[in-house]
Amino acid sequence: MTPPLELSAAAHSYLLAFADDEHMMGSRHANWIGLGPFLEEDLAFCSIAQDELGHALALYEMLVPANEIDRFALLRAPADYRSCALAELECATWDLALVRHWIYDLAEGLRWEALVQSSVEGLAELAVQAEREESFHRSHAQMYMERVVQDEEGRRRVDAALAEIAPHIGTVFAPPEFENDALEEGVASESFADLALRWFNMFEPQAAEFGLTLPALSLESSLDVRCTRTPGFADFHASLGEVISLDVQANW
Amino acid sequence: MRTYEVFLKKAGKEEFRHAGSLQAPDAEMARLLARDAYSRRGEGSEMWLVDRIHIIEGDKQLLAATADVSHRANDGSAVAARRKRLRNDA
């Protein structure tokens, strides 16, 4: 059993927010297994889901002992999760899932970049490796988007999905508790407020290139956002814990 | 959607081998999607993608054996049988 790292409270909450976001994104993406628009896309999207779950696992390993990860990841009380609404959201249509993938992965890459010189042991290496995977995710989202917006109906549907997701976009930039301390300790090199600005500077020209209508966005977010669960979380959480709850003590 | 034939080559002296086929809207997407479909675990270090429309199909009429010409097929079994007989006779 590998003991988790000795982390400061600030580092702990910083990593927890990221780990929970990745866990929720990976699990929500995985809901599309077998339902993707065509086989090759199904494989690519589920591979992205697995990458996100892999990132979540790598981060959880820094937070809790190896034999407690499953229970920690799946059976915490909903109030103890620190994921953002953008990651928790159920995207019940492919339009929404695609747009969220584009938006979230644009932000995720920036989050890893802010960790490539982290003072937390092993985190810099993880960030470099994860960012390599993210560059594939971004290419995937961008190429896919470029193609679906080429006809009128595609662009209209992406526009509608973007408008529906827009109110939640800012939540991914909600800072974790003790963000200032985390920045001082060198856990991360950039504040979430700065990441949000950089994200917007990447998002806006891409949205323009796709011919999309820019929705009203509020990118300022507070910690409360990470302490509140979205409607629908309870069902999702219950479904994630369904198997482990059959026998919580089992050694998988 | 177009269909692409995927060929993979491992590092070293191995030749390219047909891995399977892939559907994608165009060549750029095919390159992106082929990785997850055929080389997620490093199955190949090089990949060729060939749009199926560029494949020249051989003529089935010419390929079919026209008559029994088994006398021209030498798989060595006749020689092996003869040598075995000679060995046993000796």
Side-chain angles (χ1 to χ4, degrees):
Chain A
M1 187 186 89
T2 332
L5 301 173
E6 296 265 338
L7 294 173
S8 67
H12 189 278
S13 74
Y14 198 97
L15 296 191
L16 180 61
F18 202 2
D20 282 345
D21 280 351
E22 290 290 272
H23 180 201
M24 294 303 133
M25 273 304 290
S27 302
R28 283 299 195 191
H29 272 358
N31 285 350
W32 284 95
I33 292 178
L35 302 172
F38 55 103
L39 178 65
E40 288 78 356
E41 175 54 27
D42 196 279
L43 289 170
F45 204 69
C46 295
S47 163
I48 290 170
Q50 283 185 6
D51 285 346
E52 309 300 31
L53 288 172
H55 299 161
L57 180 62
L59 291 166
Y60 283 140
E61 277 171 351
M62 295 180 173
L63 297 170
V64 286
N67 60 343
E68 289 172 26
I69 289 175
D70 287 348
R71 267 168 289 165
F72 183 79
L74 301 167
L75 298 178
R76 253 176 299 159
D80 294 338
Y81 284 80
R82 289 294 175 268
S83 36
C84 66
L86 182 66
E88 290 177 12
L89 212 61
E90 180 183 13
C91 290
T93 65
W94 178 250
D95 313 16
L96 290 167
L98 172 65
V99 169
R100 192 246 306 259
H101 155 48
W102 169 48
I103 303 277
Y104 179 90
D105 283 340
L106 218 49
E108 191 192 337
L110 296 174
R111 290 173 80 177
W112 286 117
E113 269 179 36
L115 298 174
V116 293
Q117 291 185 322
S118 177
S119 57
V120 174
E121 190 191 327
L123 187 52
E125 292 81 353
L126 174 63
V128 170
Q129 186 200 325
E131 169 45 30
R132 225 180 2 244
E133 292 172 355
E134 287 309 316
S135 77
F136 171 79
H137 299 183
R138 287 193 300 276
S139 305
H140 174 267
Q142 174 144 7
M143 281 188 202
Y144 208 105
M145 291 286 288
E146 275 167 12
R147 282 156 181 82
V148 292
V149 296
Q150 268 169 19
D151 72 60
E152 193 60 42
E153 195 210 340
R155 196 165 57 248
R156 186 183 52 71
R157 283 171 61 174
V158 168
D159 255 336
L162 182 57
E164 198 173 328
I165 284 177
H168 307 285
I169 293 177
T171 64
V172 74
F173 301 110
E177 205 175 0
F178 318 122
E179 187 196 25
N180 288 337
D181 293 341
L183 292 169
E184 263 175 40
E185 291 168 21
V187 174
S189 59
E190 240 180 326
S191 70
F192 273 85
D194 289 341
L195 291 179
L197 282 176
R198 285 217 291 141
W199 174 87
F200 187 74
N201 290 334
M202 290 169 73
F203 166 78
E204 193 188 24
Q206 279 194 17
E209 186 194 319
F210 298 151
L212 301 175
T213 313
L214 206 64
L217 290 174
S218 162
L219 298 180
E220 275 174 44
S221 225
S222 66
L223 171 66
D224 316 346
V225 167
R226 293 198 173 273
C227 298
T228 325
R229 304 278 67 81
T230 41
F233 182 87
D235 285 346
F236 182 45
H237 184 240
S239 74
L240 290 179
E242 214 173 308
V243 174
I244 192 176
S245 299
L246 293 173
D247 183 353
V248 178
Q249 302 306 326
N251 210 347
W252 294 91
Chain B
M1 287 287 213
R2 309 179 81 90
T3 306
Y4 295 85
E5 296 299 336
V6 182
F7 297 82
L8 286 173
K9 181 188 180 309
K10 288 186 177 149
K13 287 184 175 172
E14 291 272 322
E15 68 275 32
F16 275 90
R17 286 178 193 209
H18 188 228
S21 56
L22 179 88
Q23 292 217 307
D26 54 45
E28 196 187 22
M29 280 296 272
R31 288 172 83 178
L32 185 86
L33 297 173
R35 193 212 54 169
D36 278 312
Y38 290 105
S39 194
R40 266 185 83 185
R41 296 175 186 82
E43 287 89 337
S45 57
E46 290 177 56
M47 182 185 278
W48 283 344
L49 291 162
V50 181
D51 190 325
R52 197 179 271 177
I53 61 166
H54 296 309
I55 288 178
I56 302 158
E57 205 180 337
D59 186 332
K60 287 194 179 114
Q61 294 283 320
L62 290 174
L63 289 169
T66 48
D68 181 10
V69 286
S70 54
H71 59 280
R72 289 189 4 193
N74 181 11
D75 62 359
S77 56
V79 177
R82 182 165 162 268
R83 288 177 63 141
K84 191 177 179 187
R85 207 167 53 239
L86 290 172
R87 248 196 332 274
N88 291 341
D89 291 351

